[in-house]
Amino acid sequence: MEQFMQQVINGLSLGSIYALIALGYTMVYGIIKLINFAHCDVYMIGAYVGYACMTFLHLGLIPSLCISMLACMILGVVIEKVAYKPLRNATRIAALITAIGVSYLLEYGMMYFVKADVRTYPPLEGILSQSFHIGGVTLKAMQILIVAVTVVLMILLQIIVKKTRIGKAMRATSQDQDAAELMGINVNTTISFTFALGSALAGAAGILVGVYYNSIDPLMGFLPGLKAFVAAVFGGIGVIPGAMIGGYFIGIVETFVSGYGSSMYKDAIVFAILIIVLIVKPSGLLGKATREKV
Amino acid sequence: MKVKNLMEKPAFRKFGGIIVLYAVVQLLISVGILNDYYFATIVTIGINVILAVSLNLITGFTGQFSLGHAGFMSIGAYFCAIVTLRVPGIPGFLLGMLAGGAAAAVVGLLVGLPTLRLKGDYLAIATLGMAEIIRIVFQNIEITNGAAGLSNLPKFVNWSWLFLFVAGITVLIVNFLHSSIGRACISIREDEIAAESMGINITRYKVTSFIIGAFCAGIAGALYATYFPIIKPDTFGFAKSVDILVIVVFGGLGSITGSIVGAVVLGLISMLLASWTDLRMVIYAILLIVIMIFRPQGLMGSREFSLAMLKRAGEQLNGLFHKKSKKEEN
Amino acid sequence: MSILKVEKLTKSFGGLTAVSNVNMYLDQGELVGLIGPNGAGKTTLFNLLTGVYKPTAGTVTLQRGGSDQVISGLKPSTICEMGLARTFQNIRLFKDLTVLDNVRIAMHKDVRYGLLSSFLHLPSFVREEKRLKEKSLELLRVMGLEDKKDELAKNLPYGEQRHLEIARALATNPVLLLLDEPAAGMNPAETARLTELIGWIRENYKVTILLIEHDMSLVMKVCERIFVLDYGMIIANGTPAEIQSDKRVIEAYLGEDVANA
């Protein structure tokens, strides 16, 4: 039972990270139907910006988090404007390859500038370095922080998407871009805004992973990115609450497989779940099936 | 009789062109102009031609977006290596090739049956997941020696073998695309609902095309494992699947000649960039983005989408082979 | 002798019942029209007959070679193999392929060579391909498209695309042909030509034809019998003359007030 609770706690921390990344995938896919392969590298850049803030500027976690989110937001918008916008009317495969190109550019560009070495975040001080022991279960202060930051960001995101004008524009554009444009919505601004939001969340995930796992490298984004995408598909791609549920589900499954079974196969199991979900319910947990008009 | 003569003529010319290409390269190797370093590039290009042509069959012609082609390649490579490490000589080589292709085809069937009901990006992600599972399995089982991979593999592939497999597979696939079954596959790309309503069993032909593609990828993997001395699971990761897709899209989806040109051009670019180790991938990434922005339809575009044009493209194939050999002369 | 029997056919999409409890029959060799206001469920009915949609309830039976076969619930490709072919209202040609290929693909189910011959182009391939090509060209000649055999389907003018749709459906060698608005978008001269062609096809290919059409001049001229669909239900069935004077039909088309006036 204690081990079970421990796995749930670890799973929630990991799941928070996946959920934050998955939100970016799902929002971008929802609005321009592109699997933004570069998204996982925005997350990596977020981790490096956080690293720079904390190591060289000696800033605290929260200021670093904000800077990192801002930097990723700008990066996300620039990527969209430079690489994706010219391809908005091209085939899906061409857009996808561009996304992969951007992903490679960020990974290997980063590798060129900061070298491939693994870097470690500075150790945390004060309350954040504490652990609490409740029964046989260890609860780190960092884990509480990760989940808390994630929940706050998700609530903010929900408010933006549901209550604001731009959020309404996002939802309208994802339903039907042409109709939204005819209704006077500035589609370009809306798409940029979507990238900004998603990238900021990825930046937050990057720095949280940095302080939690303590090591970062230029290729750190690939696998979490893939799993976060699985999370988005699991929840129903394009559906924001789906990405959150999917993120936590994948996080918990992964920690349980590592904890109870073989950690070597944990990634294989995540992908097996993906394939099963796709076959059983391709539209995901909360997604709606669409029908082609004949 | 008159009709028959006409039909034989282009076929004869095509055959002649292929023989000339073979002879020229063989000559260059014999007199030592093409050294081992260049030959390794030629082998890589040849393997990539098979991979690209077979992925093009699945994605460009049948319209099923696959991001897991390297998974089939790895199955071919490992099965072949396991055979050649145990059975010596040419019989082992041929048995290995067959085992590699057949194993990949069987996995293609097992993967294709459930997943080919998915469309577009969903299929791409499912095949990507499948390839990752294959990689993780090879990384963790004993017979493949885990992450370290298999080494000291016997070398069999020379120019003649390479040529036989690359030209053979390309010709067979072009023939297939010119047949009624090939046209049925293309009709699926064009419009699934119309194809189904015209009596085309779309599941059957999607799976057929997927199995043929997987078989060829298996052969490509087997060629890899009988030329290069080491195979590792990481060689056949996501990046390799992307490389193959890039060749296909760069050359033009639905264009066999495009895939060949794509494999040759990208192979040469990669050779030229080899000395820039640090910036190689950065330049490759920028190239990808620039090419997709300025020519999203690829080099050849969709020019072979029509079958009548495929026929003309068959003749272009000749010209192409000539060009290719000229390039290598320089 | 009826070739097609539809019994209590129903299709619901969520809460909407698009086709409701439809009963109809077609006799061998008949040319029957299916009319009704927009959104009445005509195309949905076609989609049910051809297997594109699975019915919520009811059966479709095709009489073939003296025995009845239930076709509802089967795959579209199987239904096509059993002799039911169709055209599409919104034109679904294989638009990046040539006119000839569009027709040849529809003949695929009758091709008698296998995978091996496809790869190696054995004599069986050469023989069959020759037969396919001749048969396709014959059909294209009938539809007036022989000169365009090497054009891409998407480059044909609209009217010719509709003709190609019919040629492609005929290439599957059907016993029952469903035409979904074959004259849509055609000018009166083209429609008149098509009207003649449809009659000619029925005589020469010995097919039974069911057609959806809004152009009443065509329907009234060629159809022997007409079904009228409104809100997913068959509201009338009779000869053109009977349908023209049917009060419920006039109501359906023009609204109750006009009909009563």
Side-chain angles (χ1 to χ4, degrees):
Chain A
M1 188 59 203
E2 278 164 7
Q3 204 200 340
F4 180 83
M5 280 312 294
Q6 186 69 58
Q7 299 300 350
V8 170
I9 289 168
N10 295 347
L12 285 176
S13 323
L14 184 61
S16 296
I17 305 289
Y18 289 154
L20 284 175
I21 308 175
L23 285 167
Y25 277 115
T26 224
M27 286 192 291
V28 166
Y29 193 92
I31 209 156
I32 55 170
K33 301 286 173 286
L34 167 74
I35 303 176
N36 182 11
F37 266 100
H39 187 63
C40 60
D41 301 299
V42 172
Y43 149 85
M44 177 269 294
I45 300 282
Y48 271 93
V49 172
Y51 170 83
C53 289
M54 293 174 78
T55 311
F56 303 127
L57 304 177
H58 304 291
L59 294 174
L61 180 59
I62 299 301
S64 305
L65 180 80
C66 295
I67 293 174
S68 171
M69 285 174 74
L70 188 69
C72 288
M73 197 183 261
I74 295 167
L75 178 65
V77 173
V78 169
I79 290 174
E80 195 275 324
K81 287 271 181 256
V82 174
Y84 300 157
K85 200 176 163 213
L87 281 155
R88 216 171 274 163
N89 296 318
T91 57
R92 302 270 284 274
I93 290 187
L96 188 82
I97 288 188
T98 310
I100 293 171
V102 174
S103 166
Y104 280 0
L105 183 64
L106 292 175
E107 287 173 9
Y108 292 94
M110 230 18 217
M111 211 182 257
Y112 183 74
F113 290 115
V114 303
K115 302 294 166 242
D117 316 340
V118 171
R119 290 179 187 250
T120 48
Y121 261 61
L124 289 166
E125 283 154 12
I127 181 95
L128 285 175
S129 60
Q130 304 281 309
S131 296
F132 309 102
H133 300 280
I134 307 154
V137 181
T138 311
L139 181 60
K140 291 181 196 145
M142 247 337 279
Q143 292 177 317
I144 302 176
L145 182 79
I146 287 178
V147 176
V149 169
T150 306
V151 170
V152 168
L153 289 175
M154 283 178 180
I155 292 171
L156 277 175
L157 179 70
Q158 277 297 332
I159 292 171
I160 292 172
V161 173
K162 295 279 182 208
K163 305 281 183 207
T164 63
R165 269 175 73 89
I166 187 85
K168 202 183 267 180
M170 275 171 68
R171 284 181 286 145
T173 310
S174 72
Q175 290 274 319
D176 187 329
Q177 199 163 309
D178 296 330
E181 194 148 28
L182 288 172
M183 292 301 120
I185 290 171
N186 186 335
V187 169
N188 285 331
T189 313
T190 311
I191 292 175
S192 294
F193 186 75
T194 308
F195 271 85
L197 273 185
S199 303
L201 295 175
I207 185 168
L208 290 175
V209 154
V211 283
Y212 185 48
Y213 289 105
N214 219 335
S215 71
I216 58 172
D217 69 272
L219 299 180
M220 66 184 272
F222 177 68
L223 224 73
L226 220 49
K227 286 186 219 162
F229 187 76
V230 171
V233 172
F234 178 86
I237 195 135
V239 187
I240 289 176
M244 301 177 191
I245 295 171
Y248 282 110
F249 176 78
I250 297 293
I252 287 174
V253 165
E254 195 180 317
T255 46
F256 269 81
V257 173
S258 320
Y260 287 100
S262 145
S263 63
M264 286 178 317
Y265 284 101
K266 68 179 190 325
D267 298 342
I269 288 181
V270 170
F271 293 121
I273 290 174
L274 166 77
I275 293 175
I276 293 166
V277 169
L278 285 176
I279 291 166
V280 177
K281 196 167 186 301
S283 51
L285 213 55
L286 304 180
K288 283 198 190 79
T290 49
R291 178 186 297 278
E292 191 182 354
K293 181 143 173 58
V294 182
Chain B
M1 200 56 211
K2 208 174 171 186
V3 176
K4 212 177 173 192
N5 279 338
L6 281 171
M7 277 179 58
E8 273 170 7
K9 217 177 165 189
F12 181 75
R13 265 192 285 140
K14 197 190 286 183
F15 188 68
I18 290 175
I19 293 295
V20 168
L21 171 72
Y22 169 73
V24 168
V25 176
Q26 184 60 52
L27 187 74
L28 290 177
I29 292 170
S30 309
V31 298
I33 294 174
L34 275 173
N35 59 23
D36 283 356
Y37 173 72
Y38 289 117
F39 186 62
T41 301
I42 292 179
V43 173
T44 307
I45 289 175
I47 290 172
N48 284 342
V49 166
I50 298 182
L51 290 167
V53 165
S54 57
L55 181 64
N56 209 344
L57 170 66
I58 297 173
T59 301
F61 288 96
T62 315
Q64 307 305 305
F65 189 3
S66 168
L67 261 181
H69 218 49
F72 297 124
M73 184 189 180
S74 72
I75 289 173
Y78 272 105
F79 271 78
C80 177
I82 289 166
V83 172
T84 56
L85 284 172
R86 285 163 182 74
V87 185
I90 295 295
F93 168 60
L94 292 177
L95 196 64
M97 297 298 289
L98 191 67
V106 169
V107 176
L109 173 69
L110 296 178
V111 172
L113 269 182
T115 57
L116 283 169
R117 284 186 300 157
L118 300 170
K119 290 190 193 351
D121 294 336
Y122 289 106
L123 177 63
I125 290 298
T127 48
L128 163 59
M130 176 275 307
E132 283 293 302
I133 292 174
I134 292 173
R135 189 179 62 82
I136 293 165
V137 168
F138 281 143
Q139 217 159 44
N140 288 301
I141 57 177
E142 215 158 288
I143 194 167
T144 57
N145 198 25
L150 295 170
S151 49
N152 292 324
L153 303 176
K155 182 172 171 177
F156 293 98
V157 172
N158 55 23
W159 171 239
S160 301
W161 282 119
L162 180 75
F163 188 82
L164 181 73
F165 280 104
V166 174
I169 283 180
T170 308
V171 167
L172 289 181
I173 288 185
V174 170
N175 276 356
F176 174 77
L177 288 167
H178 277 105
S179 75
S180 190
I181 301 177
R183 288 191 296 261
C185 290
I186 298 172
S187 76
I188 297 173
R189 174 196 72 195
E190 289 291 304
D191 190 327
E192 279 195 19
I193 288 174
E196 245 183 331
S197 298
M198 296 305 134
I200 308 289
N201 184 340
I202 56 170
T203 314
R204 183 172 160 192
Y205 292 117
K206 278 183 192 175
V207 174
T208 303
S209 143
F210 204 65
I211 292 174
I212 296 170
F215 178 86
C216 298
I219 293 286
L223 282 172
Y224 186 95
T226 46
Y227 179 76
F228 296 100
I230 305 171
I231 52 170
K232 284 192 282 193
D234 284 348
T235 313
F236 311 106
F238 174 68
K240 183 68 200 172
S241 291
V242 170
D243 284 348
I244 306 167
L245 184 69
V246 166
I247 295 173
V248 173
V249 176
F250 172 69
L253 278 165
S255 163
I256 291 290
T257 46
S259 288
I260 297 170
V261 178
V264 173
V265 171
L266 289 175
L268 293 175
I269 288 177
S270 157
M271 189 182 76
L272 293 175
L273 290 179
S275 49
W276 300 45
T277 33
D278 285 352
L279 277 174
R280 201 174 75 90
M281 285 304 288
V282 176
I283 296 171
Y284 180 63
I286 294 171
L287 267 178
L288 277 192
I289 299 169
V290 170
I291 291 171
M292 284 306 120
I293 289 177
F294 291 101
R295 203 162 167 78
Q297 74 276 36
L299 282 180
M300 307 296 254
S302 52
R303 244 176 296 166
E304 294 175 24
F305 274 170
S306 93
L307 287 166
M309 279 181 165
L310 255 181
K311 225 173 242 173
R312 262 175 272 157
E315 282 153 28
Q316 279 173 12
L317 202 73
N318 272 329
L320 202 72
F321 275 135
H322 286 295
K323 248 184 251 161
K324 185 181 159 195
S325 54
K326 257 182 218 152
K327 231 174 228 163
E328 276 147 14
E329 263 172 353
N330 293 338
Chain C
M1 187 182 67
S2 46
I3 185 166
L4 184 83
K5 244 190 336 222
V6 177
E7 285 162 305
K8 297 184 177 156
L9 197 63
T10 301
K11 177 70 187 178
S12 316
F13 298 104
L16 177 85
T17 306
V19 169
S20 165
N21 206 16
V22 163
N23 293 298
M24 61 191 284
Y25 66 93
L26 295 179
D27 282 337
Q28 177 81 52
E30 261 191 314
L31 207 172
V32 178
L34 178 63
I35 64 171
N38 285 326
K42 303 181 295 291
T43 297
T44 306
L45 182 58
F46 266 27
N47 285 334
L48 288 170
L49 298 182
T50 51
V52 175
Y53 293 160
K54 304 276 171 270
T56 313
T59 54
V60 181
T61 316
L62 189 70
Q63 151 112 200
R64 210 164 143 267
S67 69
D68 284 347
Q69 272 169 313
V70 176
I71 60 167
S72 41
L74 297 179
K75 278 193 298 192
S77 57
T78 315
I79 291 176
C80 175
E81 275 175 45
M82 295 172 99
L84 209 152
R86 72 175 292 181
T87 64
F88 293 91
Q89 178 187 1
N90 46 352
I91 303 190
R92 279 176 169 268
L93 292 169
F94 306 125
K95 55 185 188 331
D96 284 311
L97 300 184
T98 61
V99 168
L100 177 63
D101 280 333
N102 267 276
V103 176
R104 278 199 291 197
I105 285 166
M107 290 179 181
H108 175 72
K109 65 190 177 71
D110 299 324
V111 168
R112 288 183 295 262
Y113 63 81
L115 210 50
L116 191 69
S117 202
S118 304
F119 283 118
L120 300 175
H121 288 193
L122 299 175
S124 61
F125 168 90
V126 179
R127 203 168 50 236
E128 277 290 285
E129 284 294 308
K130 194 170 162 228
R131 182 182 70 89
L132 276 187
K133 192 166 179 182
E134 278 166 8
K135 212 176 143 197
S136 309
L137 290 179
E138 168 69 34
L139 262 174
L140 289 177
R141 192 172 311 132
V142 168
M143 302 304 296
L145 292 167
E146 203 191 7
D147 303 341
K148 307 259 175 128
K149 68 180 167 61
D150 294 324
E151 294 261 2
L152 297 188
K154 65 178 175 192
N155 295 338
L156 292 184
Y158 195 74
E160 289 184 341
Q161 291 197 10
R162 290 234 174 259
H163 278 98
L164 181 55
E165 277 255 352
I166 299 176
R168 187 178 66 169
L170 279 175
T172 67
N173 205 8
V175 290
L176 174 58
L177 182 61
L178 308 182
L179 303 176
D180 198 345
E181 297 197 24
M186 287 187 177
N187 62 35
E190 287 173 323
T191 305
R193 204 188 137 233
L194 181 74
T195 310
E196 240 168 73
L197 192 61
I198 290 173
W200 189 88
I201 285 169
R202 173 178 57 159
E203 294 308 316
N204 284 273
Y205 288 88
K206 306 273 176 280
V207 284
T208 309
I209 297 177
L210 176 65
L211 67 88
I212 295 177
E213 191 47 71
H214 282 299
D215 190 314
M216 287 305 147
S217 71
L218 188 152
V219 176
M220 297 301 164
K221 190 162 175 204
V222 297
C223 295
E224 285 138 14
R225 206 149 57 81
I226 295 171
F227 286 99
V228 186
L229 204 61
D230 191 27
Y231 292 109
M233 283 174 283
I234 298 280
I235 57 167
N237 163 23
T239 62
E242 286 165 1
I243 294 298
Q244 270 166 320
S245 56
D246 190 302
K247 195 165 167 246
R248 292 179 63 190
V249 176
I250 299 166
E251 269 175 27
Y253 269 93
L254 303 173
E256 225 168 296
D257 299 343
V258 183
N260 287 335

